[in-house]
Every structure is written in C-alpha cells, then in structure tokens.
C-alpha cells in the first residue's frame, strides 16, 4: 500500500511552535515531502508566514507595550476577530516579535521553545525548502480581505514565484486556497499545481452562492478540475465514521483530481472516539492506524502536525 505524500502542516507543529524554523527543520528531518506555510501580508506588502493575520495567540505581541494601541477588532470573512493583525505592522516591526505555542494546554512541551523564533517571511521558508530539497505547499489566507485593504496578496505571491522560478507545472510547490476565484485567477497566470481546499461545512467566502457540499459532488469535482489539480478535503468528508469511507476520493480521481486530507493530529482531542487512547485530551491516540486507513482509501497526500509519526507508520 503506497504511503500518501506527507505535508508537514505548519511544520512539525505537534512538536514545535507552528510556522517556525524549528518546526520546519524538524519536519524535514522527519522525512516530510512538503512543508506548509500559511501566507498573510504586512502593512508594507510583504508575504509572511502565520496561520492567521491575527497574531495575539501565536506571538508575544501582547507583552509589547509599544504595540498596545494596535489592539483592535476587525471583521474577517464575516467573523468578528479581536487582537493584533499583521496588516497593521511593517515587516521590520513584526521581526521584533517572537513566536509562541498556540495550543499550550494540549502541547505543553512546545512551550519550552516559546520566545526563540522570529516570524518568517515566505522567502525565508522557500530558502529552507530549497536548501533541504523538499517541496512547499503554501496556503493563501483571506485573499479577498487583503485585496479590499489594498494589499493584493495574489500579485505579491505570483511575483515571488516568478522571481524564484516556481511558476511551471513541474515546480516543487503545491498552492492552496479556500477561495475559488483566487485559484482560478492563478491558473490563468501560472502553471504550478493548485489545490482547492474544502471544509465539511460552509462554502468559499468569495462565492456565497456555492457550498463545499456542492463542490464535492461529481459535477462539483469536475468543475474544480477545470482549474485545479488537487482537492484538499476535511478528513470528515472522506471518513465521517472510522472505517466507513465516502466515495469522495474515488469520484475525485475519476474527475482527474488528486486528493489531500486535512488535518491529521495525534492528540485525542483531535481524533474520533474510536481512535483515542484513554481520556486525556493531550495524550496521543491511534494516528498511525488512522493514516493507514486513509492510505487504503487511496489518499494521495496527508496534512499532518506530526510528520514523524506519519512517515514512520
């Protein structure tokens, strides 16, 4: 049984604070095929690597008196969010911050690395990957939101790919987004592989007339295949009950799409009950067994916080 490609979700984020050099380096050492940076923008138009543009939960910005006046509330993709936001800081200001663990209760060992790493730029992650000879799977976060602020993330992204020779069909990159329009526009500009993300509920923020449920029907998958090479699905869309897969992978393959699933995590808190071991939320359950089932379903790639467990299963 072929092992799915392993995409280190924000690096080896189960063992190091996410999106840090330490997390990416460890993922590479553990044998990941891809490292995954989420991309947001600074006030001066630089692509940086954070899961969200709100950084209060992943950096020490709250402890910096100089930035206290930038604490605010914004509406992002229809949701009210309070905190500190990357688009209100220059790159130079953000580089003074240090990263911390986002899930300290579930991953207390990771807090030993708090305060050690700076925020990385997309270019810095591309350098890490190129040096190590691994591929990169960047996700463009909130492109419509950033565009409305006069920060066109798509243009900045394409310019970076062009400068680094990563626009071809064989480029060692896999570009992700939940928004459909972003991927469709990228397809018109570059030939690099594209992955349409879909969740178990809701729909793309840029297409209020379209649901993820519709996108994962036979007709919906054929429509996605017109502009993307992959579909990246919530694991619940592939296996809603352990051992009982849906037809999503089979239908996607018929449409010509490869399938990635997100997100495989080892902690009981993130596992279905049948894959848990004990009652402690932070304890590790049966991640290897879960991955083996998905491999048996024909999964092409797995996003995981624990690439070491995924590779060595």
């Amino acid at each position: 049984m072929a092992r799915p490609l392993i995409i280190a979700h924000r690096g080896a984020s189960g063992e190091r604070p996410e999106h840090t050099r330490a997390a990416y380096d460890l993922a590479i050492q553990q044998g990941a095929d891809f490292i995954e940076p989420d991309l947001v923008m600074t006030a001066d138009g630089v692509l940086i690597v954070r899961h969200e543009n709100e950084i209060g939960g992943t950096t020490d910005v709250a402890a910096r008196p100089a930035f206290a006046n930038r604490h605010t509330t914004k509406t992002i993709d229809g949701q009210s969010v309070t905190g500190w936001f990357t688009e209100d800081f220059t790159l130079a200001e953000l580089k003074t911050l240090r990263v911390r663990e986002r899930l300290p209760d579930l991953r207390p060992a990771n807090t030993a690395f708090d305060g050690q790493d700076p925020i990385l730029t997309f270019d810095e992650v591309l350098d890490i990957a190129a040096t190590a000879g691994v591929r990169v799977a960047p996700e463009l976060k909130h492109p419509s939101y950033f565009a409305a602020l006069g920060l066109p993330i798509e243009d900045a992204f394409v310019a970076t790919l062009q400068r680094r020779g990563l626009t071809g069909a064989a480029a060692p990159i896999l570009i992700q987004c939940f928004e459909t329009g972003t991927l469709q526009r990228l397809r018109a500009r570059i030939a690099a592989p594209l992955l349409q993300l879909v969740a178990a509920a809701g729909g793309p923020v840029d297409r209020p007339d379209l649901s993820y449920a519709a996108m994962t029907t036979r007709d919906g998958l054929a429509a996605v295949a017109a502009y993307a090479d992959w579909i990246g699905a919530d694991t619940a869309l592939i296996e809603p009950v352990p051992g009982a897969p849906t037809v999503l992978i089979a239908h996607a393959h018929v449409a010509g799409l490869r399938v990635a699933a997100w997100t495989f995590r080892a902690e009981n808190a993130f596992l279905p009950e049948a894959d848990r071991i004990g009652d402690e939320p932070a304890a590790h359950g049966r991640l290897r067994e879960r991955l083996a089932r998905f491999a048996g379903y024909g999964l092409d790639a797995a996003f995981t916080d624990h690439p070491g467990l995924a590779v060595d299963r």
Side-chain angles (χ1 to χ4, degrees), residues 118-172:
I119 291 174
L120 296 172
T121 66
F122 182 37
D123 269 308
E124 287 172 327
V125 175
L126 290 174
D127 288 341
I128 292 170
T131 299
V134 300
R135 288 168 275 183
V136 183
E139 180 186 345
L140 278 69
K141 305 292 296 221
H142 313 301
S144 293
Y145 169 82
F146 280 113
L149 298 178
L151 292 169
I153 193 169
E154 294 170 26
D155 291 344
F157 181 70
V158 170
T160 300
L161 298 190
Q162 290 173 335
R163 174 165 46 81
R164 301 190 66 122
L166 294 172
T167 60

Side-chain angles (χ1 to χ4, degrees), residues 178-226:
F178 279 101
E179 295 189 22
T180 60
T182 290
L183 293 175
Q184 289 164 353
R185 288 186 292 272
L186 288 175
R187 173 53 72 229
R189 301 175 71 176
I190 61 175
L194 304 180
L195 181 151
Q196 174 69 63
L197 291 164
V198 293
V205 70
D206 63 328
R207 285 289 306 276
D209 61 320
L210 183 63
S211 69
Y212 293 128
M215 294 173 70
T216 53
T217 64
R218 284 182 183 270
D219 289 345
L221 291 165
V224 170

Side-chain angles (χ1 to χ4, degrees), residues 1-3 291-297 313:
M1 181 167 51
R3 171 178 70 78
L291 282 161
R293 289 199 309 272
F294 276 74
Y297 305 151
R313 65 165 181 80

